[in-house]
Amino acid sequence: MAATIKLEIVTPEAKIFSEDVEMVTLTGVDGQMGILPQHMPLMTQLASGEIIARKGAEDIFLAVGDGFVQVTREKVSVLTDMAIKADDIDEAKAEEARQKAEARLAQKLSDEEVVSAQAMLMHALTQLKVKRRHSK
Amino acid sequence: MASTRDIRRRIKSVKNTAQITKAMQMVAAAKMRKAQQAAIIGRPYAALLNQMMAAAATGAVGFSHPLMEARPVRKRAVIVVSSDRGLCGGLNSNLFREVAKLDKSTTVFVTAGKKAAQFIGRTKRTLAAEFTYKDAPEYAEARAISKAVQQMYLKGDVDAVDILFPRFINTLTQQPQLVPFLPIGKLSAATAGVNAAKEELQAHATPDVYEFEPDEQTVLGELLPHSLNFQMHQILLETKASEQSARMVAMKNATDNAKQIIKDLTLEYNKLRQANITKELLEITTAQMALG
């Protein structure tokens, strides 16, 4: 039996993912990193992008927002503000969200609103990117 | 003695009141379910955040962040989180009783919610900042509050920050609670606002030494403010849940009372009516007897 590591992805809304996988590839602030079971304890920041979880022969792709990652020997915990499986991404919806966010950014806004609009835009872009890469 | 007409008028007015309180009770019940849901939904995230904070605190040996450094407390700030509207039973007055216990001269207040701002103003306490939040508290609103007090703390205006809010225990009970916010204690960090998180914390606190990437400064510099913002948000959500529950219970009591009053008044009204009829009958028979 291949060694596994537990991947847990949690957002403020729900626990999105919790499964034993063989390898996790994620995008940190300093670039991509692959995490195998028995990785040494590590804490890092997560940049918005893609998480790839390898389970048996198949790869599971997820689009995620910014956040934090904690790695222990048997577990990878990901704390992020957005996470969605590539299969569940609704391209039309994401595109719509992107346009809405861009429209809001074009207006004059307070700092707080700019931050939230930027986050919205980032989420939509990430979702679109991940979706388009895997829908071919 | 009141005439039958007076009593009828009173019954009508009480009935109207009962209708209003009943409607408010229904609205509060619906909002309460939503608010409770929102408060509970964030718990797994809070638990994981806690665990990370704990790991970071134990893992980053010999590292300290300005937000974690405790100073001798000369002046402290208290964030009072209340509701915007009244008619929610003893929720706010219980909260303000706790406020009254705090030392006026060494405490400055930051308020979230209109009732708290009014109370602080009325009792001539120092109000440092005033915030509002909506029925469904947004993360951005929590971030604004949390950012403001972090700045106050970092500038040295205050040496400690606590939060006073009505903790949601269950639908019938809400309890004012004072929890520390800043400086961030070693392990107690994000435990406030989440009941279930404490056991989680103990179960997972592994004494591993962590590697940080890119470095401790950057990771903790992001993680700490984020965890404070999230904690603040969780507290706003919990306050909302408390408020709606308290209002629902208060309005249910009001409706029950009104119903009781209507019952009593109706009884009185019928008695009076019967007495009047008897009196009239008596008069008629006496008149007939006198004639015959």
Side-chain angles (χ1 to χ4, degrees):
Chain A
M1 197 190 104
T4 56
I5 189 162
K6 186 167 181 168
L7 172 65
E8 210 174 58
I9 301 177
V10 183
T11 68
E13 282 88 40
K15 201 174 242 178
I16 302 288
F17 191 91
S18 180
E19 272 175 61
D20 289 322
V21 298
E22 277 143 35
M23 180 176 161
V24 182
T25 310
L26 50 85
T27 323
V29 278
D30 288 343
Q32 281 219 325
M33 57 174 102
I35 293 160
L36 290 163
Q38 296 298 316
H39 192 281
M40 79 174 302
L42 170 83
M43 277 196 124
T44 186
Q45 268 175 278
L46 182 72
S48 68
E50 190 177 30
I51 288 185
I52 307 166
R54 175 163 302 157
K55 195 180 180 189
E58 65 163 335
D59 279 347
I60 303 162
F61 300 95
L62 296 113
V64 293
D66 311 333
F68 301 96
V69 185
Q70 181 194 17
V71 182
T72 61
R73 292 197 189 280
E74 57 282 330
K75 199 168 149 197
V76 180
S77 315
V78 178
L79 208 58
T80 172
D81 50 1
M82 189 262 310
I84 184 164
K85 280 186 195 170
D87 301 336
D88 298 340
I89 296 173
D90 183 339
E91 201 172 335
K93 231 186 208 162
E95 181 64 39
E96 196 185 310
R98 181 180 72 91
Q99 278 165 5
K100 220 159 111 197
E102 274 174 354
R104 273 182 58 191
L105 274 178
Q107 295 162 12
K108 262 209 177 323
L109 296 165
S110 68
D111 289 353
E112 284 295 330
E113 283 169 318
V114 168
V115 171
S116 78
Q118 269 170 349
M120 224 167 95
L121 181 63
M122 208 57 208
H123 291 172
L125 285 176
T126 315
Q127 285 188 19
L128 285 172
K129 210 167 77 192
V130 172
K131 183 73 185 176
R132 286 191 181 137
R133 194 180 308 154
H134 300 294
S135 56
K136 279 160 215 158
Chain B
M1 186 150 174
S3 72
T4 48
R5 229 182 35 182
D6 287 338
I7 296 181
R8 248 199 336 253
R9 200 179 292 147
R10 271 198 69 194
I11 291 179
K12 217 168 142 193
S13 115
V14 174
K15 250 186 197 156
N16 283 338
T17 314
Q19 242 165 26
I20 293 170
T21 55
K22 179 88 188 170
M24 285 185 73
Q25 178 196 335
M26 307 289 247
V27 171
K31 281 188 180 168
M32 178 188 80
R33 262 193 296 277
K34 242 189 252 165
Q36 285 183 2
Q37 197 62 33
I40 290 165
I41 223 165
R43 283 189 180 167
Y45 189 87
L48 190 57
L49 191 59
N50 264 340
Q51 185 201 324
M52 276 197 191
M53 293 283 290
T58 49
V61 187
F63 170 79
S64 192
H65 190 273
L67 287 173
M68 289 172 90
E69 278 162 23
R71 303 189 287 248
V73 180
R74 275 172 289 116
K75 208 160 184 77
R76 70 172 180 163
V78 173
I79 309 175
V80 185
V81 189
S82 78
S83 68
D84 276 346
R85 274 165 292 169
L87 289 183
C88 47
L91 187 78
N92 288 324
S93 25
N94 287 342
L95 199 68
F96 298 152
R97 202 167 309 136
E98 295 298 315
V99 174
K101 285 184 199 160
L102 301 166
D103 188 357
K104 247 186 190 178
S105 53
T106 57
T107 317
V108 293
F109 291 91
V110 174
T111 60
K114 281 188 199 129
K115 285 278 161 189
Q118 281 164 9
F119 176 80
I120 301 298
R122 201 167 55 227
T123 52
K124 307 239 178 341
R125 283 162 213 275
T126 326
L127 181 63
E130 191 182 329
F131 292 93
T132 53
Y133 60 101
K134 291 192 210 105
D135 245 4
E138 277 170 22
Y139 186 70
E141 290 160 332
R143 188 170 45 201
I145 302 174
S146 152
K147 245 191 196 158
V149 296
Q150 280 174 45
Q151 262 158 19
M152 278 165 69
Y153 182 78
L154 290 177
K155 265 199 294 181
D157 292 349
V158 293
D159 304 306
V161 181
D162 296 327
I163 304 181
L164 183 66
F165 72 106
R167 158 152 292 166
F168 178 80
I169 296 171
N170 55 42
T171 310
L172 287 172
T173 352
Q174 296 85 32
Q175 209 172 42
Q177 200 159 49
L178 192 69
V179 296
F181 192 59
L182 283 171
I184 300 170
K186 276 257 154 182
L187 282 178
S188 65
T191 24
V194 197
N195 302 327
K198 258 191 192 142
E199 301 110 56
E200 196 94 354
L201 192 73
Q202 270 144 15
H204 288 288
T206 38
D208 278 330
V209 173
Y210 282 84
E211 190 132 297
F212 287 86
E213 209 175 296
D215 54 56
E216 289 143 354
Q217 198 80 37
T218 329
V219 176
L220 281 180
E222 285 287 326
L223 185 60
L224 295 181
H226 177 77
S227 116
L228 290 175
N229 295 348
F230 185 76
Q231 187 187 349
M232 192 69 231
H233 187 219
Q234 201 65 21
I235 283 177
L236 290 188
L237 290 174
E238 204 158 314
T239 306
K240 265 295 158 204
S242 295
E243 180 196 340
Q244 299 299 356
S245 319
R247 175 162 303 129
M248 190 193 80
V249 172
M251 287 303 118
K252 188 174 177 336
N253 288 340
T255 313
D256 290 350
N257 283 343
K259 277 192 183 141
Q260 186 60 45
I261 292 177
I262 291 174
K263 223 167 126 192
D264 291 349
L265 282 175
T266 315
L267 185 68
E268 203 183 319
Y269 169 74
N270 282 337
K271 267 189 194 159
L272 196 62
R273 191 171 57 91
Q274 267 172 346
N276 280 345
I277 293 168
T278 318
K279 208 168 77 192
E280 262 172 54
L281 274 177
L282 221 67
E283 274 163 13
I284 294 168
T285 31
T286 340
Q288 253 176 356
M289 270 161 65
L291 281 175

